[in-house]
Amino acid sequence: MSGRAPHLLAALSVIALAGATFAGEIPMTERRSGYDFLSRETRAMQDDDTANPGMLAVLEGGALWARKTGAAGRACADCHGDAGASMKGVAARYPAFDATLKRPVNLEQRINRCRADRQQAPPLAYESRELLALTAYVARQSRGLPIDVAFGGRTQPFLDNGRAAFYRRQGQLNLACSQCHDDNWGRRLAGNVIPQAHPTGYPVYRLEWQGLGSLQRRLRNCLVGIRAESYEYGAPELVELELFLMWRARGMAIETPGVRP
Amino acid sequence: MANALVNVPARARRGEIIEVKTLISHPMETGYRRTQLGARIPRDIIRLFVCTYNGTEVFRAELHPAIAANPFVVFSTVATESGTLAFQWTGDNGFSATESATITVE
């Protein structure tokens, strides 16, 4: 096979995808953030930076950003400077392709890669207070900016895997993500409104958790809900699903830190 | 490490009723939960929240185990004079946090 063939194939698949509409897929104009389904009180909580409990994590993340750590004795700020400038729009582009790993990584994984390579510090555990705080701090700098993940080319196969997972029935309940979030959004599952599953506010402060959690925690929750076997944190399958969900929410504004019931 | 966020209007007219919002990072562990192995998770909550306005206590709240993590307390007071509102949270395991905000009354 010549070197050009994969590129040609990728380009063709992009064209094919651009034209294809899946049954039940939400039209661009009807997409709504989970924020739109919140109660008035919960919206007020998210909107007010002194009432939004996610801001506590952002505050802590800001302190971690400036703290020197690891064998290199370097802080995030020593390379990246003011996060308000250097991290603006970054979270809107993740998961992004990592040239070394040759697959997409999410923001948490990117932070841990930076810790390993630049700070020579041990990785922070998924869902640990520090990693969530740093992620929230970085993502907060993109608030209000449109989601803009790269698709086509080298990320396309991973996006396609995520899409396949979204439309694949799984678990003992034999449900696909799309059956709730494409076909039945706005209706109720028990007492709760089913949102469209656009990851606009992550890491999100969930009132049920009484704390901050990542998109992967939310995805694992959903997988448990349909009684499917869950993937480990950081599993490529989860990152691919994240990538697809971000692509599906392309153009929607980042709300981090969001508040959800 | 305790993070707290307080929101006090920077300026107010004398005699105006102002709203004060406070939010503090705390797990508020009830003491009734158990680990998967059955061991009891010890209680760790904030017991008391006090706000003083130029040294005079204007608000006090006792907190109990049924209060959710990261307590958000909002109350109102009368803007009497320019000065400082000092906030103090105290709780189990020697927990103590303070925060303050200034207000200009004209």
Side-chain angles (χ1 to χ4, degrees):
Chain A
M1 187 186 273
S2 82
R4 290 181 55 156
H7 294 288
L8 186 64
L9 273 175
L12 281 173
S13 66
V14 171
I15 293 160
L17 282 171
T21 311
F22 283 76
E25 194 174 282
I26 303 168
M28 292 287 272
T29 51
E30 284 176 35
R31 292 180 312 165
R32 291 165 68 187
S33 159
Y35 176 86
D36 291 348
F37 301 100
L38 297 180
S39 70
R40 193 165 49 91
E41 293 80 6
T42 314
R43 282 189 205 187
M45 192 187 272
Q46 175 172 319
D47 290 341
D48 180 352
D49 273 353
T50 52
N52 183 339
M55 287 307 289
L56 293 168
V58 172
L59 213 65
E60 190 176 332
L64 290 171
W65 180 264
R67 185 181 304 161
K68 294 187 189 301
T69 186
R74 255 190 287 184
C76 308
D78 290 343
C79 291
H80 298 288
D82 175 21
S86 64
M87 292 294 121
K88 191 176 179 180
V90 168
R93 297 195 292 269
Y94 273 76
F97 194 83
D98 185 293
T100 319
L101 296 175
K102 297 191 169 50
R103 60 180 164 83
V105 295
N106 65 18
L107 197 52
E108 285 90 342
Q109 292 172 321
R110 188 69 194 86
I111 289 171
N112 269 335
R113 295 261 302 145
C114 222
R115 280 176 65 85
D117 296 348
R118 313 271 177 226
Q119 297 179 305
Q120 291 160 36
L124 297 168
Y126 287 107
E127 304 306 299
S128 65
R129 192 186 167 103
E130 291 89 352
L131 186 56
L132 286 171
L134 266 175
T135 311
Y137 179 69
V138 171
R140 167 71 181 81
Q141 315 304 329
S142 303
R143 188 194 270 180
L145 297 174
I147 291 172
D148 182 26
V149 288
F151 58 97
R154 55 192 186 175
T155 57
Q156 195 60 44
F158 302 96
L159 186 67
D160 291 344
N161 287 347
R163 178 199 304 276
F166 189 81
Y167 289 98
R168 183 169 62 235
R169 284 168 174 262
Q170 52 185 327
Q172 286 181 321
L173 299 189
N174 199 29
L175 279 171
C177 311
S178 61
Q179 288 180 283
C180 281
H181 298 292
D182 270 358
D183 302 344
N184 287 297
W185 64 266
R187 301 172 82 174
R188 281 174 182 268
L189 187 63
N192 305 315
V193 181
I194 304 170
Q196 293 182 348
H198 297 301
T200 49
Y202 285 89
V204 85
Y205 191 93
R206 200 165 171 222
L207 300 176
E208 184 188 314
W209 292 336
Q210 296 194 25
L212 212 65
S214 70
L215 177 54
Q216 295 208 349
R217 180 171 176 191
R218 180 60 262 199
L219 294 175
R220 282 164 50 99
N221 262 205
C222 257
L223 288 169
V224 169
I226 57 171
R227 299 189 205 158
E229 199 171 326
S230 204
Y231 299 104
E232 285 303 309
Y233 280 110
E237 290 87 349
L238 287 179
V239 178
E240 287 164 358
L241 192 50
E242 278 187 65
L243 178 64
F244 171 68
L245 290 175
M246 288 292 271
W247 173 81
R248 189 168 162 268
R250 65 200 177 280
M252 296 176 77
I254 297 267
E255 297 166 24
T256 307
V259 179
R260 296 292 183 266
Chain B
M1 99 196 231
N3 284 317
L5 287 167
V6 299
N7 186 3
V8 177
R11 317 187 144 267
R13 291 187 315 279
R14 190 173 305 275
E16 188 184 345
I17 295 171
I18 53 166
E19 189 178 57
V20 178
K21 298 182 196 175
T22 69
L23 178 66
I24 183 155
S25 166
H26 196 284
M28 293 297 282
E29 186 59 56
T30 62
Y32 298 120
R33 297 200 306 165
R34 289 176 184 273
T35 66
Q36 285 183 329
L37 297 175
R40 177 174 283 207
I41 304 171
R43 192 186 76 180
D44 180 15
I45 63 169
I46 295 174
R47 297 305 306 276
L48 186 66
F49 168 65
V50 177
C51 172
T52 57
Y53 187 174
N54 282 345
T56 313
E57 186 175 307
V58 291
F59 185 81
R60 164 183 290 255
E62 286 175 12
L63 286 84
H64 295 278
I67 293 172
N70 306 323
F72 178 52
V73 179
V74 181
F75 60 94
S76 50
T77 186
V78 178
T80 51
E81 56 192 0
S82 298
T84 308
L85 280 99
F87 306 90
Q88 188 176 27
W89 296 261
T90 47
D92 294 337
N93 305 322
F95 179 83
S96 176
T98 54
E99 190 66 57
S100 65
T102 55
I103 182 168
T104 308
V105 176
E106 52 215 3

